[in-house]
Amino acid sequence: MVTLRKQYAVARPVYSEDSLAEDHNKVYRQNKTIVDHMREYLTWDLKRAKNSAVSLLPIISWMRTYSVREWLLGDVVSGISTGMVAIMQGLAFSLLASLPPSYGLYTAFFPMLTYFFLGTSRHISVGSFPVLSLMVGAVVTRLVPEVGPPANITGFEDLTQEQQRVLVASSVTFLMGIFQLAMGILQVGFIVVYLSDTLVSGFTTAAAIHILVSQLKFVLGLTVPGISGPLSIIYTLKEIFDQITSTNICDLVMSIAIMMVVFIVKELNDKYKAKLPVPIPIEVFMTVIACGVSYGFNFQTRYDIDVVGKMVSGYESPIAPNVEVFQESAVEAFPIAIVGFAVAFSVAKVYSIKHDYTIDGNQELIAFGVSNIFGASFRSFAASTALSRTAVQESSGGKTQIAGLISAAMAMIVTLALGFLLEPLPTSVLGALVIVNLKGMLVQFREIPYLWIRDKPECVVWVGTCLGAILLGLDLGLVVGLGVELLTVVYRTQFPRCSVLANIPGTDLYKDRKDYTHISEIPGVKIFRIPSPIFFANIEFFRDKLVETVGFNPLRVLRKRNKALRKINKRLQKKEDDVTARGPEELFGTTDGSSMNLPVDVTVPRVDLHSLILDFSAVSFLDISALKGLKAALKEFIRVDVEVYIVSCDECILEKLHSCRFFDEEILTSMFFPTLHDATLHVNIYHTRLEKRRK
């Protein structure tokens, strides 16, 4: 496409940083001290108190603008639709947490009550999430295994295995909430930026594999003990294959049929989502049908299948968390807190952008922290959000968290009055529903070839995170993923793609000389660009690349020149001729590296460079080690008569150079220029005048 190309012309002097400061007054800002920040933080007035109240209770801001006529009907319809999905997912995901299904309904109810007041997202559906459920389940099975005695924890006495597991799950969730609340109070919501989309994709894909394997025992009707720790997925598969001949055919056939029907209907939902007022709640229909068929044909007795069984009717009194469980599960609870927040925040961010409102990461941490602490007190397990459930809430007309409140009310109705209807539901049906809902996470495997072609380090992060989480478990896998991601960042900054720039004729633009055919390099001038911060880990790489670019080692040239000078001095001293006043420049010249006075057996390296320009436009910081290395490198070039210039240097870096006493009699402030074109014009003017003087 041909674009209209406008031209501009600017007439101004050629500036260095010094001359620019002379012609234009510069404002020197004074940075605030810690005392100033504390004083500002502790100073309160009415406006700040009002803003803090709105920030802590975001419900105030959107409730004041709530339109009953336009939004209420959509919220009611959305709440009912989401509630049905939340109930089914709560029952299914409780199996991942190694808990009775009824406790999944608690997770669909209690956390939402507090998030309604404290959360900043108006669209996410708060409740169980399969990855968190699996991570909680790993702690539960480790401390209360199905086979063998539980861990030696005070408070387990006189409790059944089910009660012990509920206590462990609620205690882990309580500790997870404490971590989230503490991070929110300390304003460290930015921590989620360290979990890149690539890392989260690899991690959730590995979690999907774990979930799939954990549900096979329900789909096949096998009795497989819960196994946790590194390589647990391999041991679990071994147990399943050892018992494969004992598969319950009724469970298997029913699971396959349900997965096929649910998968087909979900595909139709996606295909015709623009035409459907709300997605077809196929999970609800299949659950109702499975309950009716199981009850009518007495599957539990006739085919020996496992069913949900006795549902807890009503809500139990609050319980206190177990401190010893805190000590045993702190290592697992922290990554659970991070993953729960990262998933919820990323989903909330998608819908906040779509509907044009802002979310606050720190307030979200506080909201989820309080919600998990509150929910854990009433025996619920880790809460976050699920993309599929949130998509239902938003696509069915939900405008605010009133839809979430109605969804929680539906879970309450089932818990208080309708739970007995779910008692004949086969657990294989719940396992099938969990597996079929993994499609979104499992298709992420398709990202591998895409990443390999376009960004190999990112592909390494994805594969490393996924393999680490599959083989070592989700908690250690997350640590492995963060480690691999950190290594890729170090690799990118320690070995950046440096380039030599040249001028596009007729412009003030300078581009990589390898990228253009018609490009002009100034004879005797090299323009070197480093596109990263310069710090202790890459300063030597920077110096090596600089030597490679100019084609000679200035330190070696200087040594050979000094050695040649000593030889000449010795020979001339024998002739009683003093050469010391003449110096190396007169003896060797500045551009051809030779002199008419050199003896035949005395040689020095040829230097065709008279100016070196360093483009610092992409250098965001320098540490002390890099500053020392840079100073040494510049002096090496200056001492072999190569003029060095630094351009586009950030003001903060300039201030640091001054404060660290970077400048001396060799390295001057006049070496710094505001733009690359200023420096090249200066070099041309300076050397043109120099040549005229020589002639």
Side-chain angles (χ1 to χ4, degrees):
M1 183 177 69
V2 178
T3 58
L4 181 62
R5 294 173 180 171
K6 297 181 180 180
Q7 294 187 346
Y8 71 93
V10 177
R12 65 168 178 85
V14 175
Y15 281 123
S16 67
E17 290 287 355
D18 289 346
S19 59
L20 182 64
E22 290 174 2
D23 290 358
H24 301 276
N25 293 330
K26 185 177 177 181
V27 177
Y28 292 93
R29 291 171 291 181
Q30 187 175 1
N31 295 326
K32 291 183 179 180
T33 64
I34 296 177
V35 175
D36 294 331
H37 284 291
M38 290 296 295
R39 186 183 294 113
E40 183 179 337
Y41 183 77
L42 297 174
T43 301
W44 279 77
D45 54 23
L46 184 60
K47 182 179 179 181
R48 186 167 182 182
K50 181 180 177 181
N51 291 338
S52 297
V54 173
S55 175
L56 188 61
L57 293 171
I59 185 177
I60 298 173
S61 62
W62 61 262
M63 189 61 82
R64 287 182 301 184
T65 60
Y66 190 84
S67 175
V68 175
R69 181 177 298 177
E70 296 179 9
W71 292 356
L72 184 59
L73 180 60
D75 279 340
V76 171
V77 173
S78 172
I80 294 172
S81 302
T82 309
M84 291 189 292
V85 177
I87 291 167
M88 296 303 104
Q89 290 187 349
L91 293 171
F93 296 163
S94 62
L95 298 181
L96 297 175
S98 300
L99 297 174
S102 56
Y103 291 96
L105 299 178
Y106 290 7
T107 307
F109 176 68
F110 287 109
M112 186 62 233
L113 299 181
T114 48
Y115 187 87
F116 176 78
F117 295 98
L118 300 175
T120 58
S121 174
R122 304 176 190 176
H123 292 90
I124 65 170
S125 173
V126 177
S128 55
F129 178 59
V131 177
L132 296 190
S133 303
L134 187 67
M135 295 176 78
V136 171
V139 183
V140 170
T141 54
R142 179 170 64 84
L143 298 182
V144 188
E146 293 183 13
V147 179
N152 186 19
I153 293 176
T154 304
F156 277 6
E157 301 87 357
D158 302 324
L159 295 180
T160 64
Q161 186 185 70
E162 178 182 309
Q163 292 171 332
Q164 291 173 349
R165 291 192 159 197
V166 170
L167 179 60
V168 170
S170 62
S171 298
V172 171
T173 303
F174 197 99
L175 183 57
M176 165 193 174
I178 291 175
F179 282 135
Q180 290 177 330
L181 180 60
M183 288 189 291
I185 293 173
L186 295 174
Q187 303 285 292
V188 292
F190 64 87
I191 196 171
V192 73
V193 303
Y194 294 104
L195 300 179
S196 67
D197 291 343
T198 304
L199 184 146
V200 171
S201 175
F203 179 80
T204 52
T205 304
I209 299 296
H210 277 281
I211 293 169
L212 175 63
V213 172
S214 70
Q215 296 307 292
L216 288 178
K217 65 180 181 181
F218 298 109
V219 170
L220 300 174
L222 303 176
T223 304
V224 178
I227 303 172
S228 60
L231 303 180
S232 60
I233 191 169
I234 295 176
Y235 297 135
T236 302
L237 287 173
K238 180 180 179 299
E239 289 284 342
I240 290 172
F241 284 115
D242 287 344
Q243 302 180 36
I244 197 70
T245 54
S246 303
T247 298
N248 189 306
I249 302 301
C250 180
D251 275 326
L252 180 60
V253 172
M254 188 163 41
S255 298
I256 292 174
I258 287 175
M259 283 191 285
M260 290 177 61
V261 172
V262 173
F263 178 81
I264 292 171
V265 175
K266 278 183 170 290
E267 290 297 306
L268 293 174
N269 278 339
D270 288 339
K271 185 175 182 179
Y272 298 105
K273 62 182 177 182
K275 298 180 180 180
L276 293 172
V278 294
I280 300 171
I282 186 61
E283 292 100 332
V284 178
F285 294 154
M286 297 309 297
T287 301
V288 171
I289 293 171
C291 279
V293 172
S294 175
Y295 178 77
F297 291 94
N298 196 14
F299 278 4
Q300 183 179 14
T301 303
R302 182 176 297 182
Y303 299 109
D304 192 28
I305 66 171
D306 290 329
V307 297
V308 168
K310 182 66 177 177
M311 292 283 290
V312 178
S313 179
Y315 294 108
E316 303 175 55
S317 58
I319 59 171
N322 188 291
V323 177
E324 289 190 32
V325 174
F326 283 0
Q327 297 171 351
E328 292 285 339
S329 63
V331 175
E332 291 103 330
F334 185 73
I336 293 174
I338 296 296
V339 172
F341 169 65
V343 170
F345 184 78
S346 59
V347 173
K349 193 174 180 181
V350 169
Y351 288 100
S352 69
I353 293 172
K354 181 178 180 180
H355 294 278
D356 193 25
Y357 63 90
T358 59
I359 55 173
D360 182 351
N362 294 312
Q363 181 60 28
E364 286 294 293
L365 274 170
I366 292 174
F368 276 104
V370 173
S371 297
N372 279 303
I373 290 172
F374 178 70
S377 301
F378 289 91
R379 296 175 174 81
S380 74
F381 54 89
S384 178
T385 188
L387 182 58
S388 59
R389 200 168 60 240
T390 300
V392 170
Q393 180 165 318
E394 190 268 345
S395 63
S396 56
K399 301 294 183 183
T400 66
Q401 283 300 344
I402 286 179
L405 202 61
I406 294 173
S407 170
M410 291 192 64
M412 180 186 70
I413 292 171
V414 171
T415 302
L416 296 177
L418 304 178
F420 70 94
L421 296 176
L422 297 171
E423 291 179 1
L425 178 65
T427 55
S428 58
V429 172
L430 295 178
L433 293 177
V434 170
I435 291 174
V436 80
N437 276 286
L438 296 177
K439 180 210 167 190
M441 290 190 281
L442 290 174
V443 296
Q444 293 176 137
F445 274 112
R446 294 185 298 193
E447 294 182 15
I448 295 177
Y450 173 85
L451 291 172
W452 181 254
I453 294 171
R454 289 166 176 79
D455 195 334
K456 288 181 174 57
E458 286 287 289
C459 186
V460 171
V461 171
W462 197 102
V463 174
T465 303
C466 187
L467 289 178
I470 289 174
L471 298 176
L472 302 178
L474 296 181
D475 48 356
L476 293 177
L478 182 61
V479 175
V480 169
L482 287 170
V484 174
E485 188 174 53
L486 179 61
L487 288 176
T488 61
V489 173
V490 170
Y491 171 77
R492 292 174 191 268
T493 54
Q494 190 169 349
F495 306 105
R497 181 184 175 273
C498 300
S499 56
V500 178
L501 306 184
N503 178 247
I504 297 179
T507 73
D508 60 351
L509 302 177
Y510 295 81
K511 297 291 184 179
D512 191 334
R513 65 180 180 182
K514 297 178 181 179
D515 295 338
Y516 292 84
T517 53
H518 301 292
I519 200 159
S520 174
E521 284 193 88
I522 305 171
V525 178
K526 287 289 184 185
I527 305 173
F528 181 76
R529 183 175 187 271
I530 180 168
S532 77
I534 306 177
F535 58 107
F536 67 93
N538 70 355
I539 182 61
E540 289 304 319
F541 174 81
F542 166 76
R543 295 180 66 174
D544 292 342
K545 278 297 199 180
L546 196 54
V547 168
E548 180 184 326
T549 298
V550 299
F552 64 90
N553 188 321
L555 186 59
R556 190 175 301 167
V557 171
L558 183 62
R559 287 172 179 169
K560 289 190 175 183
R561 284 188 176 183
N562 289 334
K563 184 177 179 181
L565 181 60
R566 286 194 297 270
K567 284 184 178 181
I568 295 171
N569 276 333
K570 286 181 180 179
R571 295 184 182 185
L572 294 179
Q573 282 173 3
K574 292 179 181 179
K575 300 178 181 180
E576 299 179 349
D577 188 5
D578 184 15
V579 78
T580 54
R582 302 173 66 183
E585 182 175 348
E586 187 177 348
L587 284 166
F588 305 130
T590 57
T591 59
D592 61 2
S594 62
S595 173
M596 294 298 294
N597 298 321
L598 287 178
V600 177
D601 61 340
V602 177
T603 59
V604 293
R606 181 184 179 88
V607 176
D608 295 323
L609 186 72
H610 61 70
S611 298
L612 174 63
I613 302 175
L614 304 179
D615 182 2
F616 270 33
S617 57
V619 178
S620 56
F621 73 86
L622 279 168
D623 65 8
I624 297 297
S625 300
L627 190 145
K628 293 178 180 177
L630 176 64
K631 187 171 184 178
L634 298 187
K635 287 191 174 185
E636 289 173 5
F637 280 100
I638 292 171
R639 288 168 183 171
V640 294
D641 307 312
V642 175
E643 298 289 337
V644 182
Y645 304 95
I646 297 177
V647 303
S648 303
C649 190
D650 187 82
E651 289 294 332
C652 294
I653 296 179
L654 279 173
E655 291 177 8
K656 186 169 186 177
L657 295 179
H658 281 284
S659 64
C660 294
R661 299 180 181 179
F662 182 76
F663 301 102
D664 54 26
E665 65 278 359
E666 290 181 282
I667 300 178
L668 308 174
T669 56
S670 59
M671 296 164 45
F672 287 75
F673 285 77
T675 70
L676 184 50
H677 200 53
D678 281 299
T680 53
L681 290 176
H682 169 81
V683 169
N684 281 334
I685 294 169
Y686 175 77
H687 282 276
T688 300
R689 290 176 180 173
L690 195 62
E691 289 296 326
K692 287 181 179 179
R693 289 177 186 174
R694 288 178 179 173
K695 291 179 181 178

